[in-house]
């Protein structure tokens, strides 16, 4: 119902509680980054994942947290082809050396919202240069990329790298528009 101030107040309270919970449970002051939380064990994960930028994307971080996340992203996650998914190098598709377009988007938009435009532009530049180089080799866009070693395709997981995923196409297109 339009103009339902009671419902509006209810959802605003829920949003405030969600933001407080994200900051209480998911921000690691020790690691200066947002992390996963194991609620059964009551502990934060020590695995740093690029998903830690999502609180910036949804505007849940404070300025100090955003600064710390930006620093960690640029120092540890940024590779020649963009941002690596985790800092753990494994044979799994969601770990290093792979980078996925949606996580690039979350990082770029999150950093831009907090004023880290130069960092966001650096990520865009790395991603687009990698896409152009790999397109010359692969002849198409792929679902994920090896952002650490641009001479090699991404790997890991239960299946071969897939061609032409919509998220790669969409993110790359948007990055070209932002890079203008």
């Amino acid at each position: 119902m339009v103009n339902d101030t009671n419902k509006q107040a209810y959802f605003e309270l829920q949003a405030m509680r969600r933001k407080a919970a994200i900051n209480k449970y998911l921000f690691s002051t020790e690691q200066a980054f947002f992390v996963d939380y194991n609620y059964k064990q009551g502990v934060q994960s020590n695995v740093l994942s690029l998903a830690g930028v999502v609180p910036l994307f949804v505007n849940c971080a404070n300025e100090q947290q955003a600064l710390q996340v930006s620093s960690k992203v640029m120092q540890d996650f940024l590779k020649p082809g963009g941002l690596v998914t985790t800092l753990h190098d494994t044979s799994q598709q969601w770990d290093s050396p792979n980078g996925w377009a949606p996580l690039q988007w979350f990082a770029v938009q999150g950093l831009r919202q907090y004023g880290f435009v130069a960092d966001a532009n650096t990520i865009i530049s790395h991603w687009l240069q990698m896409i152009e180089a790999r397109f010359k080799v692969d002849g198409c866009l792929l679902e994920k990329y090896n952002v650490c070693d641009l001479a090699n395709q991404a790997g890991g997981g239960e299946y071969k790298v897939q061609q032409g995923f919509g998220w790669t196409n969409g993110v790359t297109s948007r990055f070209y528009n932002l890079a203008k």
Side-chain angles (χ1 to χ4, degrees):
M1 174 183 288
V2 177
N3 296 324
D4 186 339
T5 56
N6 289 333
K7 193 166 276 191
Q8 176 184 348
Y10 169 79
F11 284 113
E12 286 174 352
L13 177 62
Q14 295 306 312
M16 190 171 50
R17 287 180 176 163
R18 185 178 316 108
K19 183 175 181 177
I22 287 169
N23 284 287
K24 178 179 179 179
Y25 294 107
L26 303 182
F27 189 77
S28 168
T29 54
E30 180 182 309
Q31 298 181 82
F33 207 71
F34 287 94
V35 297
D36 289 334
Y37 182 79
N38 184 324
Y39 71 93
K40 288 182 180 178
Q41 296 177 358
V43 296
Q44 292 178 327
S45 174
N46 62 357
V47 174
L48 295 184
S49 160
L50 194 54
V53 301
V54 173
L56 277 65
F57 180 76
V58 297
N59 203 27
C60 281
N62 64 40
E63 296 299 321
Q64 181 62 32
Q65 290 167 331
L67 176 62
Q68 291 173 317
V69 168
S70 176
S71 295
K72 180 86 62 187
V73 165
M74 299 309 288
Q75 290 173 12
D76 298 337
F77 285 86
L78 184 63
K79 305 299 178 195
L83 301 173
V84 70
T85 302
T86 70
L87 301 181
H88 292 281
D89 193 348
T90 72
S91 63
Q92 298 302 309
Q93 67 178 358
W94 288 103
D95 284 325
S96 181
N98 295 333
W100 295 77
L103 292 170
Q104 312 296 312
W105 179 254
F106 291 144
V108 164
Q109 289 302 97
L111 293 172
R112 289 170 63 93
Q113 284 194 117
Y114 285 85
F116 301 106
V117 176
D119 291 345
N121 290 342
T122 298
I123 295 164
I124 290 170
S125 176
H126 282 234
W127 181 261
L128 292 178
Q129 288 175 27
M130 180 273 305
I131 287 288
E132 290 174 6
R134 287 305 312 176
F135 191 85
K136 289 176 184 173
V137 174
D138 302 319
C140 63
L141 295 181
L142 302 171
E143 67 167 334
K144 62 186 177 227
Y145 288 90
N146 181 332
V147 297
C148 297
D149 181 357
L150 306 186
N152 289 319
Q153 262 195 3
E158 309 80 45
Y159 55 86
K160 291 177 59 174
V161 175
Q162 302 294 300
Q163 290 184 354
F165 260 50
W167 57 38
T168 304
N169 303 346
V171 168
T172 300
S173 172
R174 295 295 295 269
F175 280 178
Y176 277 116
N177 288 334
L178 290 173
K180 289 181 181 180

